[in-house]
Amino acid sequence: MKTILFIHCAGSQRSDDLVYYLKQSLRSEHNVAYPEMPNPEAPEYDQWVKQVEKELSFIDGEVILVGHSLGGAVLVKYLSEKSPPLPQVTGLYLIAPPFWGRDEEWQNEAFTITDPSTLLSIDRVVLYHSRSDHVVPSSHQTFYREIFPNAIIRTLNGNDHFFIGGLPELVADLKQGKS
């Protein structure tokens, strides 16, 4: 059974319907690790990275990384700063991640990727973003495409950011082993 490490968005984590949907949909095929991130109402990159490192230290073998919103941005920055040894990352699935430092509304040096050329090579990268996302503009998907030119882009109709009803496209990609 493969392990999925799901790093959530900022804000309250009391009821995360997206991760519940993912766990229910994949329970027979994947172990979904969903750590509580420190201080999600006022996240700090260094604290979140320590939690990501701690979670990865428990994983032996392959891991699929899934990051929702800020969680996705943290994973990408982390992967640009670290070099092996990590578990083998077989996929990176990013759900509506902000790309810090590229437009004036999204400035936070702590979360900004300083050198995208150092990103670990990952064969499967998939980006999911609603066309009219009301939290993170879909234009951020374009910025990620620059650093992941071979990524599969899933532009979804609507304005969803939290995917409270689930994200069937993500589940289908994970089940089929699609990138």
Side-chain angles (χ1 to χ4, degrees), residues 52-126:
V52 168
E53 288 176 328
K54 178 181 173 184
E55 296 300 321
L56 287 171
S57 74
F58 297 132
I59 299 170
D60 187 28
E62 297 179 351
V63 64
I64 297 166
L65 299 176
V66 177
H68 178 217
S69 196
L70 183 65
V74 166
L75 287 173
V76 172
K77 180 169 173 143
Y78 172 74
L79 292 170
S80 76
E81 296 176 339
K82 301 300 176 189
S83 58
L86 287 173
Q88 181 184 353
V89 178
T90 61
L92 177 62
Y93 297 79
L94 302 171
I95 306 161
F99 196 100
W100 295 93
R102 288 294 289 270
D103 70 37
E104 58 185 67
E105 291 181 33
W106 291 89
Q107 297 294 318
N108 185 323
E109 190 174 323
F111 292 101
T112 301
I113 301 165
T114 54
D115 186 3
S117 70
T118 60
L119 274 162
L120 294 176
S121 175
I122 299 171
D123 292 334
R124 290 177 287 200
V125 178
V126 186

Side-chain angles (χ1 to χ4, degrees), residues 1-2 16 20 29 45 66 91 158 174:
M1 196 179 287
K2 284 191 177 180
D16 196 322
Y20 178 76
E29 296 128 46
Y45 177 74
V66 177
L174 290 166

